[in-house]
Structures are given as C-alpha cells and as structure tokens.
Amino acid sequence: MLVRRWLRLLGVPRRDRRDVAQNVMLAAHESFGNYDPARGPPDRWLNRIAVHTASHYAERARRRVEEPLPDDFDAELEEPSAEEQIISECDRLFALSVLREIDGELGAVLMAHDIEGVPMADFASQSGIPLSTAYKRRTRALSAFQLLAAQRLASMDGIEVRNGARPIVSSGPPPLVLLSARP
C-alpha cells in the first residue's frame, strides 16, 4: 500500500499503479543484496526505487503506442503447452523403445525413412537394395511395429491381443496409431 501511495503522489495513473508497484517490488527484490541499513531505513531505500521506477514508467509511457486488435483476431499459441510437450516426449520414447525391438533390417528402414526423413530412394541406394524391396521392408516393419506397440500397450492396460493381430478392446478409447503409412 505504501508503494502504491507513493506512485499516486508521483503521478502514475490509477490503471497502471498495480503494474508499476509490481515492477518496484521486483526491482527491490533483485537489488536487496545491495541494501545497506547503515545508509538509511528500508522505507527510504524502497522510496528511491519507487521514484526511479515511476520516472522511467513516464518515459516509456510517452513512447508506448497501443493499437487495438481487430474483433475477429484469434491468437494461436505457436508453442505447445507443457502437457502437450510431455505427452509428445512420452510418445516418442515409447515409439523408440518399440523400434529397438524390431529386427535390424526392418528397424533400419523405419528409423531412416519415418524418423529421420530420408527419402526411400536414397535409403534403397545406400542399402544396395531395389526400391520395391525397401518399400516391402517398410510395410513389414510397420506391421511389426504396430503389433509390438499393441502388445506393449495391451500389457500396460490389460487389453487382450489375439493371434498376433489387432488388440481386442472391451471398453475405452480406440488404440493409438503411432506411425503413418506414408510412402
């Protein structure tokens, strides 16, 4: 309250006093290590910080120009939320752990094409195999990946997997599709 009273006396508009008071308290917190009680009481030290912050607020207020956004403006976050990042990382780690269990040749094609983004023609030429063979290995690798992922998810959730095929889910959401079938 003391800081806001000083800010009122210093001419800071009412609408901005809480923000400027927060800036004063932040500056006081950051410079508390420099406070010397021998030089004066704490209220004088805090008053100096308030005067300094208020004077700089007035300078910035003259230069600040705010333009209203259009009514149809819909702000979209460019970065995913923390929860989305955690889920994405868990999915990535799950996919990599399943990928490690797949046969070497099949795992290599999935790792190169689907994870690292190597074009299938480049992968085929690097491996010394025909392009059609690379696509067939990828198809087998995707099937193996989906089967292993379904089995692992089933063991976590108590879902039954029959005949090495798709999991049979008695209730709950449908199983996840972890990799796309892009060529």
Side-chain angles (χ1 to χ4, degrees), residues 118-150:
V118 175
M120 195 59 89
D122 292 347
F123 175 76
S125 66
Q126 290 171 358
S127 300
I129 58 174
L131 184 59
S132 62
T133 303
Y135 277 112
K136 289 176 187 174
R137 283 185 187 170
R138 181 175 177 272
T139 302
R140 285 195 323 244
L142 281 174
S143 297
F145 181 88
Q146 289 174 344
L147 177 65
L148 286 172

Side-chain angles (χ1 to χ4, degrees), residues 25-70:
M25 298 310 287
L26 178 65
H29 175 73
E30 289 174 347
S31 66
F32 187 72
N34 298 335
Y35 170 64
D36 183 15
R39 294 180 67 193
D43 60 333
R44 289 186 61 198
W45 169 73
L46 191 59
N47 181 274
R48 284 194 301 267
I49 293 173
V51 169
H52 179 78
T53 304
S55 68
H56 286 290
Y57 163 79
E59 291 173 3
R60 286 191 308 270
R62 281 190 221 114
R63 288 187 233 138
R64 183 173 45 226
V65 177
E66 297 179 7
E67 296 179 16
L69 295 173

Side-chain angles (χ1 to χ4, degrees), residues 45-167:
W45 169 73
L46 191 59
N47 181 274
R48 284 194 301 267
I49 293 173
V51 169
H52 179 78
T53 304
S55 68
H56 286 290
Y57 163 79
E59 291 173 3
R60 286 191 308 270
R62 281 190 221 114
R63 288 187 233 138
R64 183 173 45 226
V65 177
E66 297 179 7
E67 296 179 16
L69 295 173
D71 291 337
D72 61 343
F73 180 77
D74 188 21
E76 294 183 22
L77 297 176
E78 294 180 16
E79 296 182 11
S81 68
E83 181 180 5
E84 291 169 338
Q85 290 176 6
I86 290 170
I87 290 171
S88 174
E89 182 65 13
C90 288
D91 289 346
R92 185 184 75 80
L93 293 173
F94 176 78
L96 288 175
S97 70
V98 171
L99 191 58
R100 284 188 206 109
E101 294 179 27
I102 296 177
D103 180 41
E105 291 179 349
L106 300 180
V109 70
L110 279 183
M111 182 62 82
H113 182 67
D114 292 301
I115 305 271
E116 296 173 0
V118 175
M120 195 59 89
D122 292 347
F123 175 76
S125 66
Q126 290 171 358
S127 300
I129 58 174
L131 184 59
S132 62
T133 303
Y135 277 112
K136 289 176 187 174
R137 283 185 187 170
R138 181 175 177 272
T139 302
R140 285 195 323 244
L142 281 174
S143 297
F145 181 88
Q146 289 174 344
L147 177 65
L148 286 172
Q151 288 173 345
R152 179 150 328 154
L153 287 173
S155 68
M156 286 188 241
D157 295 334
I159 300 171
E160 183 181 345
V161 178
R162 293 185 190 160
N163 301 330
R166 293 186 170 163

